Amino acid sequence: MSLTPTTLALVTLLLPLASAVLIALFMRRAGMLAQIVSVAACVVYAAAALILAFGGHRAAAVNASLDWLSIGGFTLSLGIKFDDLAALMLAIVAVVGLCVHVFSIGYMRDDKARARYFGGLSIFMFSMTGIVLADNLFMMFIFWELVGFSSWLLINHYREKQSAADASKKAFIVNRIGDFGFLLGIIACYHVFGTTSLTAIATQVDAGAFVVACIPLALFCGAVGKSAQVPLQVWLPDAMEGPTPVSALIHAATMVAAGIYMLCRIEPLFAAAPAVALNVVMWIGVITALYAALCAITQSDIKKVLAYSTLSQLGYMVAAFGLGRIVEGKFLIVAGVGAAMFHLTTHAFFKALLFLGSGSVITGCHHEQDIFKMGGLRKKMPLTFVTFSIGVLAIIGMPFLSGFFSKDAILYLAMVKNMPAFVLLTLTAVLTAFYMVRMWKITFLGESRSEESSHAHESGASMLLPLIVLAVLSAGCVYMRPLIMPFLEVFLNVPAAHGADHIIILALSIAVMLIGATAALFLYKPVATDSLREKIPGVFTILTHLRETPDRVYNYYTGKIQQRFALFLNVLDRFFIGGLVVRGLAGLTGFLGLGARALHVGSMHAYVYWFLLGAVLVWAFASGFLH
């Protein structure tokens, strides 16, 4: 079989599925064999994906499709759309996925359910690849739901823990809320355009088709759920109950980035819609970025600090997309797509590095996750310390590291397009430097503050190798121009009149990083207590309530309103619809019998109440009140 672009694309799509099927059918009790099959499949997958992305195949159109289901005049096809955007995303999934698989060899070596874990990784890689290669919205939705299923499976890996079971259900349910809006948007697209093909829709839009704002905004609901934007952000911090490599793969670099990728795929719809659509997207991204950064300040769990950091950076990407296009004379540049995908790329590598680095720390500290019970790890885990530090420097915007360039791209776009958004995103950048340096200092500096950290040790080779690879990519992935050049043109071809703006952004970015990092270094000491709680307790309390309030609101709604309404509907269905309407007189007789039986409960207290009620009724009748 020749390695044509279509063949390579099918290999990347079907190989993880084959791995998952083999593990599910024949290796459920063979953890080592399942690990070998899954890792080997991922190695071949990554090789095929990188050859497809870097081998010049983007110039050759890949348009393989198959009619899967026909109902009347409607045909559901499964097809492949491979272009620059797909190449970029596929490369990210391949590299991060392979690093996570290798890291998991050491991290999960003593887990009794290792086969189920690696089977879950394989089904996730299949599902995510389907989203990347989908050529129509219906196919994307099918794999979108498969990603939700595999996410539920992996978050719930430690299913004997109630917190893990609750977190997986929460992630599944919250994502279904966003997915309902996504499905409505797909149906609306088919109604308006007569197709859900991404290429056909873009062609009609370019030809002048008008798009009402509700269609792209309905599709955006899917991104709100999958990328955990306000108000559906509540599932992501709880999803840290899954194994740490899962957090790196799903909740930092790939699954949550699927929402951003989907937005970039449907960008022509937003470009043809009224400006209000992009404004809504932008402000949801800005609010999410700032809110999550404030929440991260008071977290003590190392993984949840990174979870809120992920929320904040996803908000940056959504805001970048919402800022839209820049039109200058003859230039029509898709700036939002470029800035969003640029930051998605850099973020995937340095956030995967930080999550896997936290996994190395947690393993070395015997599964302790509280940063205030760590300390002194710089000497005990030197390689983890160095690689983790590179990730921290990248996310806070150290000059010439990857995060510096991608963050500046978004800030420049915001400064040109929307000054209030620019101010809030700049404040978010200050907070990012503040809480990341806080976590870094408390975790690695000072002396050991617990028995677990005092006996910490460096991780094995299988866990350290992915950290080194991701550290190199976090430092220099921005220089890999052959792949990401199509998305950098807006920043490389800016008219000379805006040269001063770039100098302003450069100076501002350095100042932002220094302000946030210096404040954290001076405020926090590597001790067992939170300095912010001790020195400014009012601010600490406000930020804690800000973080916890959404969950309280949702819990109140589900427990006090939704659950009671569901019980009412259940009674209505069982007794009135199922009993009176369906069964008629027999149902009425049964209902009266049930009520009569309820009077005879065998409790003296109940009989006293019925006696008093009867006495009141007799008195009311005798007194004439009931005449």
Side-chain angles (χ1 to χ4, degrees):
M1 182 183 292
S2 61
L3 293 180
T4 64
T6 302
T7 301
L8 288 170
L10 289 175
V11 167
T12 60
L13 179 63
L14 299 179
L15 189 60
L17 176 62
S19 170
V21 170
L22 286 175
I23 293 172
L25 293 179
F26 306 110
M27 307 173 194
R28 288 182 292 178
R29 299 181 183 275
M32 177 59 72
L33 184 58
Q35 172 184 291
I36 293 172
V37 169
S38 182
V39 174
C42 192
V43 170
V44 178
Y45 168 93
L50 293 178
I51 292 173
L52 190 61
F54 289 98
H57 296 295
R58 298 193 308 279
V62 180
N63 291 311
S65 63
L66 173 69
D67 291 343
W68 184 51
L69 179 66
S70 294
I71 302 176
F74 171 75
T75 300
L76 176 58
S77 63
L78 301 180
I80 295 174
K81 179 180 175 66
F82 186 75
D83 54 10
D84 289 321
L85 190 62
L88 181 62
M89 194 68 191
L90 192 63
I92 294 170
V93 175
V95 173
V96 175
L98 181 57
C99 288
V100 167
H101 274 75
V102 175
F103 187 89
S104 298
I105 294 174
Y107 192 87
M108 304 297 291
R109 64 181 180 273
D110 297 324
D111 195 286
K112 296 180 180 179
R114 188 166 36 164
R116 173 160 51 86
Y117 170 82
F118 278 97
L121 287 185
S122 292
I123 194 66
F124 173 81
M125 296 292 286
F126 164 69
S127 306
M128 191 66 206
T129 305
I131 291 177
V132 174
L133 297 178
D135 74 337
N136 65 83
L137 290 172
F138 269 119
M139 177 179 171
M140 183 178 287
F141 184 77
I142 292 170
F143 285 99
W144 194 271
E145 295 304 299
L146 282 174
V147 164
F149 163 74
S150 55
S151 172
W152 168 83
L153 184 67
L154 290 168
I155 296 171
N156 194 33
H157 179 73
Y158 301 125
R159 56 188 180 186
E160 67 278 1
K161 291 173 57 179
Q162 186 61 43
S163 56
D166 292 341
S168 64
K169 288 188 292 185
K170 187 176 186 179
F172 192 84
I173 293 171
V174 172
N175 272 275
R176 298 295 76 71
I177 297 172
D179 293 352
F180 179 70
F182 187 23
L183 181 59
L184 291 179
I186 294 173
I187 295 171
C189 276
Y190 184 79
H191 175 73
V192 172
F193 299 104
T195 180
T196 60
S197 168
L198 295 167
T199 302
I201 290 174
T203 301
Q204 292 190 42
V205 169
D206 291 341
F210 175 74
V211 180
V212 293
C214 63
I215 293 180
L217 287 178
L219 295 170
F220 175 57
C221 289
V224 171
K226 199 70 74 185
S227 295
Q229 298 296 288
V230 172
L232 300 182
Q233 82 287 354
V234 292
W235 69 269
L236 186 59
D238 289 354
M240 297 302 107
E241 291 291 338
T244 303
V246 170
S247 302
L249 178 65
I250 297 182
H251 308 120
T254 53
M255 171 185 160
V256 292
I260 314 300
Y261 177 80
M262 183 268 286
L263 285 178
C264 294
R265 272 289 186 224
I266 62 171
E267 192 274 342
L269 289 174
F270 279 95
V276 65
L278 280 174
N279 285 335
V280 169
V281 173
M282 180 197 70
W283 282 113
I284 286 180
V286 170
I287 292 169
T288 302
L290 181 58
Y291 168 79
L294 291 170
C295 292
I297 294 173
T298 57
Q299 263 295 346
S300 59
D301 186 310
I302 187 171
K303 288 177 64 177
K304 290 193 175 182
V305 174
L306 296 176
Y308 280 109
S309 171
T310 299
L311 282 175
S312 184
Q313 298 305 307
L314 289 169
Y316 252 90
M317 299 172 209
V318 171
F321 178 86
L323 287 165
R325 299 181 175 185
I326 295 178
V327 181
E328 296 180 4
K330 297 181 180 179
F331 294 97
L332 178 60
I333 307 174
V334 187
V337 171
M341 288 302 297
F342 189 16
H343 196 53
L344 185 154
T345 305
T346 61
H347 175 265
F349 296 131
F350 64 66
K351 186 54 64 66
L353 169 62
L354 290 169
F355 265 111
L356 293 184
S358 72
S360 179
V361 168
I362 292 168
T363 301
C365 292
H366 308 281
H367 299 283
E368 177 59 64
Q369 295 186 198
D370 190 339
I371 60 175
F372 292 103
K373 295 181 180 179
M374 296 179 183
L377 300 182
R378 176 175 61 89
K379 298 178 181 178
K380 298 178 182 297
M381 307 179 71
L383 192 52
T384 299
F385 168 72
V386 171
T387 54
F388 196 93
S389 298
I390 291 174
V392 171
L393 291 174
I395 194 173
I396 68 175
M398 173 63 73
F400 306 112
L401 297 186
S402 59
F404 168 78
F405 292 100
S406 59
K407 182 193 68 178
D408 282 5
I410 296 174
L411 290 179
Y412 169 75
L413 183 59
M415 185 177 70
V416 172
K417 296 297 292 292
N418 192 300
M419 188 55 65
F422 169 73
V423 172
L424 294 178
L425 290 176
T426 302
L427 174 59
T428 301
V430 174
L431 295 175
T432 300
F434 180 80
Y435 68 71
M436 289 302 299
V437 172
R438 162 191 180 261
M439 179 186 65
W440 172 82
K441 182 177 182 180
I442 295 171
T443 300
F444 289 99
L445 303 187
E447 302 297 329
S448 299
R449 296 184 293 275
S450 68
E451 186 71 16
E452 290 79 10
S453 63
S454 64
H455 293 92
H457 56 83
E458 188 61 275
S459 302
S462 64
M463 297 173 67
L464 292 177
L465 179 60
L467 296 183
I468 295 172
V469 172
L470 290 169
V472 172
L473 292 172
S474 298
C477 75
V478 70
Y479 302 107
M480 297 188 302
R481 292 190 174 187
L483 180 62
I484 60 177
M485 177 67 76
F487 303 99
L488 299 182
E489 292 179 357
V490 63
F491 312 114
L492 300 176
N493 297 327
V494 174
H498 292 298
D501 291 343
H502 286 289
I503 296 175
I504 293 173
I505 290 294
L506 174 64
L508 180 65
S509 296
I510 296 174
V512 160
M513 180 195 68
L514 292 176
I515 291 171
T518 303
L521 289 172
F522 277 99
L523 177 62
Y524 289 97
K525 307 297 179 185
V527 294
T529 55
D530 194 313
S531 300
L532 183 63
R533 184 200 294 267
E534 292 185 342
K535 296 181 180 180
I536 320 176
V539 172
F540 186 90
T541 301
I542 292 173
L543 294 178
T544 301
H545 284 305
L546 180 68
R547 187 186 77 231
E548 296 175 350
T549 296
D551 273 313
R552 291 174 180 170
V553 171
Y554 278 111
N555 289 337
Y556 177 85
Y557 166 75
T558 55
K560 301 296 184 181
I561 300 176
Q562 180 174 292
Q563 187 65 18
R564 293 181 179 180
F565 183 64
L567 290 174
F568 168 74
L569 293 179
N570 181 56
V571 171
L572 187 66
D573 176 63
R574 292 181 59 187
F575 294 108
F576 290 95
I577 298 178
L580 296 181
V581 177
V582 176
R583 298 178 61 196
L585 184 59
L588 177 61
T589 304
F591 179 71
L592 294 176
L594 182 63
R597 286 196 302 271
L599 300 178
H600 301 280
V601 295
S603 171
M604 182 62 70
H605 295 86
Y607 294 153
V608 169
Y609 287 128
W610 285 119
F611 174 79
L612 292 175
L613 179 60
V616 170
L617 291 175
V618 170
W619 173 82
F621 182 80
S623 301
F625 284 103
L626 297 181
H627 285 294

